[in-house]
Amino acid sequence: QEQVVESGGGSVQAGGSLRLSCAAPRSTYNYCMAWFRQAPGKEREGVANIDSNGFTSYVDSVKGRFTLSKDNAKNTLYLQMNSLKPEDTAMYYCGSRPPMVGCGLDQYDYNFWGQGTQVTVSS
């Protein structure tokens, strides 16, 4: 089954850093992969994605602070989060979808999800 597994969440103070990992089956090496987050009482929102060519995109609120990278040999996606803010507090989910032109950050386009990992940033 094409499922992904997230890890790496935790609790940090504002200004701190965390790195999230998302391991996906190697059979999905060319899939779009993305990070989403959902804060209590809010809708899930896209944070950043990467396509099969390694092109990345980010939402404005995390540009310059978050960085995606991927280990293609392991088919594992990483999200390095620096200068964290209290508003980054959320459950973070990794999503995966078969490749298409433009991966996008619409959660409804992603087929495969992990269980999520909690990120809490205190002020």
Side-chain angles (χ1 to χ4, degrees), residues 82-101:
N82 298 329
S83 301
L84 282 162
K85 303 175 180 180
E87 51 263 43
D88 295 317
T89 296
M91 185 72 80
Y92 282 69
Y93 297 91
C94 179
S96 175
R97 59 173 285 187
M100 292 186 67
V101 176

Side-chain angles (χ1 to χ4, degrees), residues 22-93:
C22 171
R26 290 184 180 179
S27 59
T28 65
Y29 69 95
N30 62 338
Y31 279 27
C32 295
M33 295 181 73
W35 285 99
F36 294 78
R37 64 187 180 186
Q38 187 167 18
K42 294 188 177 181
E43 279 210 11
R44 189 173 296 189
E45 65 168 349
V47 175
N49 66 13
I50 187 168
D51 69 12
S52 58
N53 294 313
F55 293 116
T56 57
S57 64
Y58 303 85
V59 291
D60 287 346
S61 60
V62 307
K63 283 180 181 177
R65 300 188 299 122
F66 291 10
T67 304
L68 277 177
S69 61
K70 190 178 178 190
D71 183 332
N72 289 322
K74 297 180 180 179
N75 202 26
T76 297
L77 181 68
Y78 302 99
L79 181 67
Q80 178 65 43
M81 304 185 296
N82 298 329
S83 301
L84 282 162
K85 303 175 180 180
E87 51 263 43
D88 295 317
T89 296
M91 185 72 80
Y92 282 69
Y93 297 91

